[in-house]
Amino acid sequence: ARQVVSAGGGSVQAGDSLNISCITSGIGVSDSDMVWYRQTPGNECELVARRFADGREDYHDSVKGRFSISQDSARETMYLQMISLKVEDTAVYYCAAEGPIFVGGTWCAGQGTQVTVSS
C-alpha cells in the first residue's frame, strides 16, 4: 500500500536541533514531490518545506537557514532537519507526497508528529 508516515517528533529546548522523518512506501521518494506542513497551536496550517523530484527546494521564510530537507532513497525516507529551534516552531508536522502520487498529510490532514519547543 502507498503511504507516508510522519515520525520522530519530541520535546526540545529553544536552540536545540531535531530531525523528523517521513517514512514512505510504494511511492518512490526520490521521484516524488515531497512536502512538509505544520499546524501551530493557533491551528494555522502552513507549508514549511518542499522538495521537488527535480531537486529544487523551497522553504517558508520563517525557517530558511534553519530547516533543510534530505532523503535516503534506499530507506524510502525523507527527513526534515531542524536546527536553532524556536518556541514558535512548536506545531504538529505532517509530510505528504504531492506528485505524481498524492498521499499523506496535505494541508495538515491525517497523522502528524508533534514538535514542542520550550524556552
Side-chain angles (χ1 to χ4, degrees), residues 3-7 20-24 34-38 49 78 80 92-98 103-109 111-113:
Q3 65 176 358
V4 300
V5 177
S6 308
I20 57 177
S21 304
C22 178
I23 304 163
T24 78
M34 301 296 298
V35 187
W36 283 102
Y37 296 89
R38 67 184 179 187
M78 176 182 69
L80 185 66
V92 180
Y93 285 73
Y94 301 80
C95 69
E98 295 188 351
V103 64
T106 295
W107 288 114
C108 303
Q111 173 264 338
T113 188

Side-chain angles (χ1 to χ4, degrees), residues 1-112:
R2 294 167 175 169
Q3 65 176 358
V4 300
V5 177
S6 308
S11 296
V12 297
Q13 298 287 317
D16 284 351
S17 300
L18 186 68
N19 295 339
I20 57 177
S21 304
C22 178
I23 304 163
T24 78
S25 62
I27 66 165
V29 68
S30 61
D31 298 322
S32 300
D33 296 343
M34 301 296 298
V35 187
W36 283 102
Y37 296 89
R38 67 184 179 187
Q39 187 159 37
T40 63
N43 291 319
E44 176 183 353
C45 182
E46 57 189 17
L47 192 156
V48 177
R50 175 169 48 192
R51 187 181 190 283
F52 296 95
D54 64 7
R56 289 177 297 125
E57 298 178 358
D58 58 41
Y59 297 88
H60 193 277
D61 284 346
S62 67
V63 306
K64 284 180 180 177
R66 299 189 300 119
F67 289 14
S68 62
I69 291 178
S70 64
Q71 65 183 38
D72 183 334
S73 300
R75 296 180 183 270
E76 290 291 332
T77 300
M78 176 182 69
Y79 303 96
L80 185 66
Q81 299 165 312
M82 305 181 289
I83 66 170
S84 302
L85 281 160
K86 303 177 180 181
V87 172
E88 51 264 41
D89 295 319
T90 295
V92 180
Y93 285 73
Y94 301 80
C95 69
E98 295 188 351
I101 295 170
F102 286 75
V103 64
T106 295
W107 288 114
C108 303
Q111 173 264 338

